[in-house]
Amino acid sequence: MNYWLIKSEPDAFSIDDLKRDKITSWEGVRNYQARNNLRAMEKGDLALFYHSSTNPTGVVGVAKVVVTALPDKTQFDTKGEYYDKKSTPEKPIWYCPDFAFVEKFKSIVTLEDMKKDKKLAGILVAQRGSRLSVQPVSKEHFEYIRALGTKG
DNA sequence: GCCAACGTTGGC
DNA sequence: GCCAACGTTGGC
């Protein structure tokens, strides 16, 4: 059982979109480190859902891995924005798991909150220049942030 | 919209 | 395989 943080721009795909769709394939990640994290995810793992490039930025809910990583079909779509000409169905480069909606927080746990909180010292997302869109999170940090968000 | 951080690409 | 140039992310 591992814990993660996944970033999404709410204009592209928000926690409300996940709530509506119930399940989504986490397609379009084109960063090797993020992909490696996606491939390391196991069924039942939980992820903090983070809204980036919005005001305020922060964790807005929780998602659960329901299907482990399979080849991301968008890499083969020659007309799509995620097409990768170096990838083939025989040797796919990019993989994505499916996430299910778990909950939306009563209140957002903002990046500012996380940076200030001594209990969250060392959390990747609050580190300067942390661009990685799929990050591991410790169990302690996960549960602490979830408690902050759900208590409202 | 700016720009720091940092990943990727490609020439050598 | 180094590294400069370039592109992207994402907070502000």
Side-chain angles (χ1 to χ4, degrees):
Chain A
M1 177 79 185
N2 293 303
Y3 299 89
W4 310 92
L5 180 144
I6 54 177
K7 292 185 189 172
S8 183
E9 298 192 15
D11 289 346
F13 192 81
S14 72
I15 188 76
D16 292 318
D17 293 327
L18 180 60
K19 186 176 184 180
R20 182 197 62 216
D21 295 350
K22 297 188 177 61
I23 289 181
T24 192
S25 289
W26 209 249
E27 295 168 335
V29 171
R30 294 294 180 269
N31 170 284
Y32 285 100
Q33 208 179 338
R35 180 208 61 182
N36 292 344
N37 287 334
L38 290 174
R39 291 185 68 172
M41 291 181 182
E42 294 168 3
K43 202 173 167 183
D45 283 3
L46 294 174
L48 298 169
F49 197 106
Y50 179 94
H51 279 175
S52 64
S53 296
T54 186
N55 188 20
T57 60
V59 179
V60 292
V62 175
K64 180 166 77 174
V65 177
V66 288
V67 179
T68 52
L70 297 169
D72 179 343
K73 63 182 185 300
T74 64
Q75 69 196 303
F76 310 123
D77 176 4
T78 55
K79 294 195 181 67
E81 69 172 305
Y82 297 121
Y83 177 62
D84 187 338
K85 64 180 187 301
K86 286 186 293 191
S87 188
T88 64
E90 291 73 32
K91 264 199 140 176
I93 297 173
W94 307 109
Y95 289 77
C96 62
D98 287 0
F99 285 104
F101 176 79
V102 174
E103 69 191 9
K104 182 183 175 180
F105 287 170
K106 277 188 188 151
S107 59
I108 182 171
V109 179
T110 67
L111 181 61
E112 193 187 1
D113 293 338
M114 293 191 281
K115 281 180 173 171
K116 282 190 304 199
D117 200 318
K118 290 193 179 65
K119 289 214 175 67
L120 296 174
I123 193 167
L124 277 178
V125 73
Q127 269 164 34
R128 182 177 162 80
S130 162
R131 298 191 308 165
L132 188 61
S133 63
V134 181
Q135 310 181 350
V137 176
S138 72
K139 184 178 202 290
E140 291 72 25
H141 286 169
F142 177 90
E143 287 174 351
Y144 181 73
I145 290 168
R146 189 181 199 177
L148 285 180
T150 50
K151 86 179 179 205

